[in-house]
Amino acid sequence: NQSINCIKNNCRRGSICAVSAVASYKCICPLGWTGTYCNTELSTDTFRFVGTSYIKYKDQRFNSRNLKYTQVSFSFRTSSRDGLILWVGKAEHGDDDYLAVGLEGGHLKIAVNLGERFCFPLTFKNVSLCCNRWHNVSLNLNSTVVQVFLDGRESILEDLDPFERYVALNYGGLVYFGGFELYKNMSVITSEIFSKGLEGSIRNILLFGDTKPERFVRNSEGFNIHDGLVV
C-alpha cells in the first residue's frame, strides 16, 4: 500500500513519503524544510517535535573537548508526559556512553552512563512539567557529579560514582534531540529508559558552554522538525 500511495507523490527536498490515515500519503521533511510537500524553508531557533522527529548534531570540536566536563542547557515545552528530549552519545548500542534527559510521568528524568554498562536514572518528582508550559533545564556533568537546574533552581545534585572508576563521557561527538533515526528502536538504544520521542518544542539550546543558541544550520541532520512558534 505504501508503494502504491507514494508512486506519484509530490514530496520534495529529499523527504520521505509515508502512508497517512488522513490523506493517501504524507511527506516527512528533512531538517530545514517544512510544509505539506517540504517546499517551505524552516528558519527558526524553536523546533517542534511530533514523536517521530529527531535532530542529530555532529560536534566538530569533539576531539578537543574535555570529556570529563559536559554542559548543556535548553528550554522546552511538551504536550506529553513521557518522551526523550536530549541524548548525548552515539546511540548505536545500549552500553555506549550517554547523557540523557527526558520525561517520565510528567517528571524530569536524567540518565548517565560513563562506561558501567548500566545506570540508575534520576527522577525529579517535585514538579510536573506537562503540559505546554515553557521550562528551562541546565545540566552540568563534572566527572561523576551531575548537577541539574530546573527553571533556575537546583533540582538534582548527585555523585554517580564516588570511586570515580569512569569519569569521562565518550559521546562520540554526537548529540540527539527529540529522538533517533527512524530505523532505530528507542527502547533498545536507551535500555528501556525511554520508549518514545518528544512531542513538544525546544529552544535556546546551548551546547558545551556556547554563548549563542544552536540553530543547527551546519553539521546537523534530522527529520519531521517543524516551527515551534506555530502550534
Side-chain angles (χ1 to χ4, degrees), residues 33 47-48 141 152 157 165 200 223:
W33 297 93
F47 306 93
R48 182 164 60 90
L141 179 63
L157 179 62
R165 286 164 291 191
F223 269 100

Side-chain angles (χ1 to χ4, degrees), residues 4 7 34 48 123 145 163 172 182 186 224:
I4 294 175
I7 287 177
T34 188
R48 182 164 60 90
T123 304
V145 178
F163 298 102
L182 302 180
M186 182 172 296
N224 226 3

Side-chain angles (χ1 to χ4, degrees), residues 217-229:
V217 176
R218 300 177 180 177
N219 309 317
S220 305
E221 63 180 67
F223 269 100
N224 226 3
I225 303 298
H226 305 271
D227 188 344
L229 297 177

Side-chain angles (χ1 to χ4, degrees), residues 49 51-56 83-87 91 101 175-182 184 186 190 196-199 202 225:
F49 301 75
T52 55
S53 314
Y54 78 93
I55 292 176
K56 178 181 180 181
L84 174 69
I85 300 175
L86 168 72
W87 182 274
V101 181
V175 181
Y176 288 85
F177 288 91
F180 303 123
E181 291 92 339
L182 302 180
K184 291 185 176 180
M186 182 172 296
T190 69
K196 58 181 295 188
L198 174 66
E199 296 177 32
I202 306 177
I225 303 298

